[in-house]
């Protein structure tokens, strides 16, 4: 059935007022020397398909991640090659491997844990480079100007998904080389019920960092999942020992939701009414 003019207009409005969501699974970026160490001398990464960001692509190559407590096989390599190798996993993956990855923007690997990478032609040990990617939104300069956003600014983001979540501390990355899209890891994607084609609404005016303010340690930011919460990835809220005028209750989170917000035993949360306004 052909779209009517009204339907086309509605679609255009949705596209203008929202941004696409994407889920990024565990993956590896490799430098030239490590490509050869894992896949053999002279090996070149084989492109399988393009990703949404211009120039980035999925490769045919796969590696195994080996940690202190376990391993994860069939982990995809993304191209092109980079100056330094890097491994991006979720906090759930970290539990399986026995590694606690800090939450960082891609490329910020100083002082991060290392890991063993195993390929068909050999294995190597990264001394550092394992991170859980900080949720972020790639934006073209044109889209950023329309939204009134600055590079490296943190904003809130309301997902239009089956389990809507307002993510905090979503870092804006602006470049003419980008295509506008939000990147979540699988913990965050599963926590909000993400499905391919879902979109989100940027909410400027986050109480967090601005481009002209000193930046905090990125490992201390968090998503509050359904409730604004005091967790290891945020620390923005000062919470009472109990809810005023009532007895403290308990908020039940799934494993994905707990990892998406950086939950640790003893963390607390503040119930907020009027969820659509978060």
């Amino acid at each position: 059935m052909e779209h009517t003019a009204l339907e086309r207009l509605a679609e255009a409005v949705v596209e203008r007022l929202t941004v696409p969501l994407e889920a990024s699974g565990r993956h590896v970026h490799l430098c030239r020397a490590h490509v050869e160490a894992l896949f053999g001398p002279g090996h070149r990464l084989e492109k399988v398909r393009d990703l949404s960001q211009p120039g980035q692509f999925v490769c045919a190559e796969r590696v195994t991640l080996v940690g202190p407590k376990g391993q994860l096989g069939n982990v995809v390599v993304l191209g092109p090659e980079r100056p330094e190798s890097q491994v991006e996993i979720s906090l759930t993956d970290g539990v399986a491997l026995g590694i606690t990855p800090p939450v960082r923007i891609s490329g910020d690997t100083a002082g991060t844990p290392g890991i063993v990478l195993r390929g068909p032609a050999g294995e190597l040990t990264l001394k550092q480079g394992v991170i859980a990617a900080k949720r972020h939104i790639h934006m073209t300069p044109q889209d950023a100007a329309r939204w009134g956003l600055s590079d490296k600014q943190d904003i809130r983001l309301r997902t239009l998904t089956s389990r809507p979540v307002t993510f905090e501390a979503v870092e804006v990355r602006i470049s003419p080389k980008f295509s506008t899209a939000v990147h979540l890891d699988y913990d965050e994607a599963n926590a909000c019920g993400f499905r391919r084609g879902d979109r989100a609404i940027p909410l400027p005016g986050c109480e967090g960092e601005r481009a002209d303010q000193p930046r905090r340690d990125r490992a201390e930011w968090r998503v509050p999942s359904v409730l604004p919460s005091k967790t290891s990835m945020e620390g923005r809220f000062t919470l009472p020992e109990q809810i005023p005028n009532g007895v403290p209750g308990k908020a039940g989170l799934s494993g994905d939701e707990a990892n998406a917000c950086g939950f640790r035993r003893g963390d607390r949360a503040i119930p907020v009414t009027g969820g659509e306004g978060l």
Side-chain angles (χ1 to χ4, degrees):
M1 182 179 67
E2 292 186 1
H3 288 323
T4 65
L6 184 59
E7 288 173 332
R8 290 195 296 271
L9 176 61
E11 290 176 355
V13 170
V14 169
E15 289 187 3
R16 185 168 180 81
L17 296 180
T18 62
V19 291
L21 283 174
E22 296 179 356
S24 180
R26 68 181 77 103
H27 61 271
V28 174
H29 300 280
L30 296 174
C31 66
R32 170 99 294 264
H34 290 168
V35 170
E36 295 193 343
L38 295 169
F39 300 101
H43 185 88
R44 295 290 174 179
L45 296 177
E46 179 185 347
K47 178 179 175 180
V48 174
R49 62 178 175 83
D50 289 321
L51 294 170
S52 64
Q53 294 306 307
Q56 306 297 304
F57 54 88
V58 174
C59 301
E61 289 77 6
R62 299 292 188 273
V63 298
T64 297
L65 307 180
V66 183
K69 293 185 178 179
Q71 62 183 41
L72 296 172
N74 201 36
V75 178
V76 66
V77 177
L78 299 186
E81 295 171 2
R82 291 195 175 185
E84 295 184 5
S85 295
Q86 174 179 298
V87 177
E88 297 184 31
I89 61 175
S90 69
L91 296 184
T92 298
D93 293 335
V95 172
L97 292 168
I99 295 173
T100 303
V103 179
R104 301 280 185 87
I105 281 291
S106 180
D108 183 5
T109 60
T112 58
I115 198 169
V116 173
L117 301 181
R118 184 177 297 152
E123 70 176 38
L124 59 88
T125 300
L126 288 182
K127 294 183 178 180
Q128 64 178 25
V130 181
I131 67 169
K134 180 182 178 182
R135 53 192 168 273
H136 57 280
I137 175 170
H138 293 280
M139 272 196 166
T140 63
Q142 294 82 4
D143 284 342
R146 180 163 56 84
W147 284 99
L149 301 177
S150 304
D151 190 40
K152 300 181 181 179
Q153 176 183 354
D154 279 330
I155 64 170
R156 294 181 298 157
L157 188 85
R158 179 67 170 175
T159 67
L160 304 177
T161 52
S162 62
R163 303 174 70 185
V165 168
T166 298
F167 290 112
E168 297 193 15
V170 180
E171 185 162 328
V172 179
R173 310 294 290 182
I174 301 172
S175 171
K177 297 180 180 180
F178 290 159
S179 174
T180 297
V182 176
H183 283 180
L184 305 176
D185 70 19
Y186 273 16
D187 285 343
E188 294 160 339
N190 287 331
C192 71
F194 167 81
R195 294 292 181 271
R196 187 182 301 274
D198 284 344
R199 301 179 71 86
I201 302 175
L203 302 173
C206 177
E207 295 176 358
E209 298 171 324
R210 291 289 184 172
D212 58 351
Q213 294 178 339
R215 302 184 65 183
R216 300 190 198 183
D217 180 355
R218 275 142 291 195
E220 293 181 355
W221 287 110
R222 66 93 175 96
V223 53
S225 191
V226 179
L227 302 176
S229 58
K230 183 179 181 182
T231 61
S232 62
M233 293 167 64
E234 225 278 21
R236 182 176 307 159
F237 295 91
T238 300
L239 301 175
E241 290 302 312
Q242 66 178 31
I243 301 170
N245 301 318
V247 178
K250 293 184 179 180
L253 301 177
S254 69
D256 288 328
E257 291 168 335
N259 283 328
C261 72
F263 169 80
R264 294 293 181 271
R265 188 180 301 274
D267 286 342
R268 299 176 68 85
I270 298 177
V272 178
T273 59
E276 66 277 4
L278 288 176

